[in-house]
Amino acid sequence: MTGLLSLRNVSKVFTLGQREIRAVDDVSFDVVEGECLAIVGESGSGKSTIANMILGIYPPSMGTIAWRGDVLPARRELRHRRAIQLVQQNPLSSLNPRRSVGASLRLPLDVHGIGDRSHRADRVARLLEEVGLPADFMNRSPAALSGGQRQRVAIARALASESDLVVLDEPTSALDVLVQARVLKLLADLRDKRGLTYVFITHDLSVVRNIADRVAVFEKGCLRELGTTEAIFANPQHAYTRRLIAAVPVVADAEVALRNRLMENDDAAA
Amino acid sequence: MKRAAYILVRNPLSLTGVILIALVVFGALFADLIAPFPEHRGAVVDFANFNKPPEWPYLFGTDLVGRDLFSRILYAYRISLLLGVVVLAIAVPIGVTIGLVAGYVGGWVEYVLMRITDVFLSIPPLVLAMSMMGLLEPTLTNGMLAVTAMWWPWYTRLVYNLTRSEKEEGYVLAAEVIGASRAHTIFREILPNCVPSIVTKMTLDLGFVILIASSLSFLGLGVQPPTPDLGSMVADGAKYLPDSWWLTVFPGLAILVAVFGFNLLGDALRDILGVDQ
Ligand SMILES: Nc1ncnc2c1ncn2[C@@H]1O[C@H](COP(=O)(O)OP(=O)(O)O)[C@@H](O)[C@H]1O
Ligand SMILES: [Mg+2]
């Protein structure tokens, strides 16, 4: 099975003075086109380092990353940057406070020459509408937006370049619980509509259960376990996975039903 | 704007700064209209009225060749402000660009640029300016050149430190992920976030540039006569203290007002632009 993206024996070693930190240790896995692959693991387990290597922020110390079968070089071509995009954890930091929402959304269009110059403002407006925000938000500063609205803008920016793969690095963990649920629903809808592939980094297993097709469990830079969401939850093989699952608060069916009803009610208010 | 007005009203020192600088700039710009004796900016002599204490129509008295000090101070402000603006207009773009590039690119580029900056920073400013003025002709242009040469490294330091911390912000990662050019990331993403600190420092520095320029003139290395200059006026008058006190006190006060005013204004801007320091 070769996927959209294949990591083969990927390691990343950081050198801090005399110390060497093996942030990612000999990891291999594929991301299949159209799936949502969750990456879980506690803080410091190397999740963001994997994301940065997938995005080409820095190359692996060892191993290779391939896109549709082609091994990606250390210096990425623009078309590969365009295909793989990112949504970060904290939209307060990921959106430039000194640039308007419109300017941030326009950047990928300008960099990749998407659409006519004269039609880019329209495209920005449509992107905003696609993530459930009014088009006139393009003139606002990020500071004038709520946390959830900011994250919607960040999601719109990841879609702007018509990407195929979106890496989501804990995209909801900086948000209020209610806002979290709405942003998750938006992400699920966008995936259906656009046929996106997600690498969804989180340490929230209830999020995993809602959105992921497969789960990769990391601990100390190593891939401990990889399987379908049902399989991992039904029968966790690794002791570390069992501990992770045990740490999740149990949600009763009644609570799930209540939450779904509430979410439908205030979808419009998102 | 509302926030700016609120800060000014609430803080009398900030308001004082705004008023002082407004007066200085107004006087310098409209010296031709305000000065009672505009021709006294040049080599004029009027021995009938020389060395007069303050009395109408000589608000600040007259100098040893009978020129109106008030008029000369207005024109001296014009030169000082021009000097300050030109020095910063050259020093700031250079210093800021070097700081941005060193902070963002890192590696050997950072090493080389910052060592050069440190060398300039380690030389006391007045010594650097004086040695340059010793080598070059003591003209106004060279004076500006000397002051510029010692001013840019401070902007490099400031912007370098800002860039190093801005680089960690998510919006820089976002630009890299999108594939934006380095030039875009440096000048369109990071620079706008440094602007408030840069503008604040420029305002503070206008006062200091004026002070340094006056010190150079005081030592006979700056603006040359008969062009009026606050530093030379203080120097020339000092020989006649305490009898002809107005020769030194008014030009000295004029320097003080400009330096103090720009400092207060800089502090006000820091509050208004929300620069954290
Ligand atoms: N740029 C870096 N330089 C040095 N060490 C790093 C760097 N990035 C991450 N690390 C280290 O690598 C390890 C994994 O970090 P990270 O990938 O951010 O984990 P996670 O996202 O799972 O919390 C941590 O020990 C972290 O300190
Ligand atoms: Mg992380």
Side-chain angles (χ1 to χ4, degrees):
Chain A
M1 178 180 72
T2 75
L4 185 64
L5 187 82
S6 324
L7 283 77
R8 288 289 170 271
N9 307 103
V10 167
S11 297
K12 185 73 191 179
V13 181
F14 291 111
T15 334
L16 283 180
Q18 300 294 315
R19 228 153 48 90
E20 280 199 342
I21 299 167
R22 191 164 282 269
V24 172
D25 191 1
D26 194 24
V27 166
S28 302
F29 65 87
D30 284 332
V31 182
V32 180
E33 187 147 22
E35 78 167 336
C36 175
L37 173 69
I39 293 184
V40 300
E42 59 194 16
S43 165
S45 56
K47 306 186 296 294
S48 295
T49 305
I50 288 188
N52 286 340
M53 288 190 288
I54 292 175
L55 292 158
I57 298 302
Y58 38 67
S61 309
M62 276 159 286
T64 58
I65 300 179
W67 175 255
R68 297 191 195 277
D70 299 332
V71 171
L72 294 169
R75 275 188 73 92
R76 289 274 164 99
E77 285 173 47
L78 218 46
R79 68 188 169 100
H80 288 132
R81 295 223 176 267
R82 177 175 171 173
I84 309 175
Q85 283 298 307
L86 168 72
V87 176
Q88 302 178 46
Q89 174 175 6
N90 184 0
L92 197 59
S93 152
S94 77
L95 296 173
N96 193 331
R98 300 261 162 202
R99 285 165 71 80
S100 70
V101 164
S104 287
L105 287 178
R106 221 193 129 104
L107 179 64
L109 303 180
D110 289 340
V111 167
H112 300 290
I114 298 170
D116 260 313
R117 284 188 146 271
S118 51
H119 291 112
R120 285 189 192 147
D122 295 344
R123 267 185 186 269
V124 168
R126 266 183 281 136
L127 282 165
L128 282 168
E129 278 157 13
E130 200 175 341
V131 295
L133 295 175
D136 62 10
F137 268 35
M138 70 174 80
N139 301 316
R140 295 209 190 172
S141 134
L145 272 52
S146 72
Q149 289 168 338
R150 283 188 201 118
Q151 197 57 304
R152 282 167 191 265
V153 173
I155 292 168
R157 176 171 58 186
L159 303 180
S161 63
E162 294 169 335
S163 48
D164 301 309
L165 172 68
V166 181
V167 178
L168 302 129
D169 195 349
E170 311 198 24
T172 58
S173 54
L175 305 174
D176 290 345
V177 183
L178 280 177
V179 181
Q180 260 183 29
R182 290 193 210 115
V183 169
L184 276 178
K185 182 161 185 309
L186 171 70
L187 287 171
D189 292 347
L190 287 171
R191 178 157 81 105
D192 290 345
K193 202 174 117 225
R194 288 193 170 229
L196 296 168
T197 307
Y198 285 165
V199 169
F200 200 122
I201 297 173
T202 178
H203 48 229
D204 183 346
L205 285 192
S206 62
V207 169
V208 173
R209 209 162 0 197
N210 276 319
I211 194 162
D213 302 309
R214 293 195 302 154
V215 187
V217 182
F218 279 81
E219 187 196 13
K220 298 194 178 102
C222 299
L223 177 59
R224 296 293 187 209
E225 192 164 3
L226 176 64
T228 63
T229 308
E230 300 86 61
I232 294 273
F233 276 93
N235 187 15
Q237 294 300 306
H238 205 273
Y240 176 73
T241 315
R242 282 198 286 274
R243 267 190 283 129
L244 263 184
I245 293 174
V248 178
V250 178
V251 181
D253 288 349
E255 284 177 90
V256 174
L258 177 64
R259 195 180 62 182
N260 288 343
R261 237 182 311 125
L262 289 175
M263 268 174 63
E264 272 163 32
N265 285 343
D266 52 27
D267 252 359
Chain B
M1 277 325 278
K2 250 170 137 183
R3 187 178 136 82
Y6 176 72
I7 285 174
L8 288 184
V9 171
R10 219 190 36 169
N11 189 341
L13 280 178
S14 301
L15 193 61
T16 311
V18 171
I19 293 171
L20 288 181
I21 294 313
L23 287 176
V24 167
V25 170
F26 186 83
L29 282 179
F30 299 105
D32 293 330
L33 301 174
I34 300 167
F37 303 93
E39 68 279 10
H40 286 186
R41 71 205 277 194
V44 177
V45 286
D46 178 7
F47 286 119
N49 292 304
F50 88 101
N51 204 20
K52 281 204 168 181
E55 63 176 47
W56 191 257
Y58 307 111
L59 227 50
F60 292 171
T62 64
D63 67 10
L64 297 170
V65 292
R67 292 177 299 193
D68 176 41
L69 276 176
F70 180 66
S71 302
R72 284 183 67 72
I73 284 175
L74 289 182
Y75 283 101
Y77 266 152
R78 184 182 274 187
I79 301 280
S80 295
L81 287 181
L82 186 69
L83 195 83
V85 167
V86 170
V87 163
L88 291 183
I90 301 169
V92 172
I94 295 173
V96 167
T97 305
I98 295 176
L100 282 168
V101 170
Y104 181 72
V105 175
W108 67 265
V109 174
E110 169 184 10
Y111 185 82
V112 171
L113 291 177
M114 293 320 290
R115 286 303 79 74
I116 295 173
T117 305
D118 286 343
V119 167
F120 274 88
L121 282 176
S122 64
I123 306 172
L126 217 49
V127 172
L128 179 65
M130 282 172 66
S131 49
M132 277 190 72
M133 295 298 284
L135 292 172
L136 305 168
E137 297 276 305
T139 61
L140 185 57
T141 315
N142 287 339
M144 288 192 184
L145 210 70
V147 181
T148 307
M150 66 198 226
W151 225 271
W152 67 266
W154 296 98
Y155 285 86
T156 301
R157 267 271 154 228
L158 171 74
V159 172
Y160 169 74
N161 287 327
L162 289 170
T163 303
R164 296 241 310 182
S165 81
E166 290 297 325
K167 209 168 105 171
E168 303 303 317
E169 290 290 330
Y171 69 82
V172 173
L173 176 62
E176 287 168 353
V177 166
I178 286 166
S181 64
R182 275 181 173 182
H184 172 92
T185 308
I186 291 176
F187 293 106
R188 304 295 296 280
E189 303 282 345
I190 296 176
L191 177 58
N193 286 283
C194 302
V195 162
S197 299
I198 295 170
V199 168
T200 302
K201 183 166 170 55
M202 283 172 74
T203 311
L204 291 167
D205 280 359
L206 264 175
F208 291 125
V209 173
I210 290 174
L211 193 62
I212 293 273
S214 301
S215 315
L216 285 175
S217 310
F218 182 91
L219 298 168
L221 296 170
V223 180
Q224 297 302 305
T227 309
D229 178 90
L230 300 173
S232 345
M233 284 158 93
V234 173
D236 296 344
K239 294 164 227 157
Y240 306 96
L241 278 172
D243 296 332
S244 303
W245 54 269
W246 56 91
L247 292 178
T248 41
V249 166
F250 290 115
L253 275 177
I255 295 174
L256 194 70
V257 163
V259 175
F260 194 54
F262 277 118
N263 263 280
L264 294 179
L265 186 64
D267 286 344
L269 275 180
R270 174 176 302 167
D271 293 344
I272 290 167
L273 298 173
V275 178
D276 35 50
Q277 213 117 46

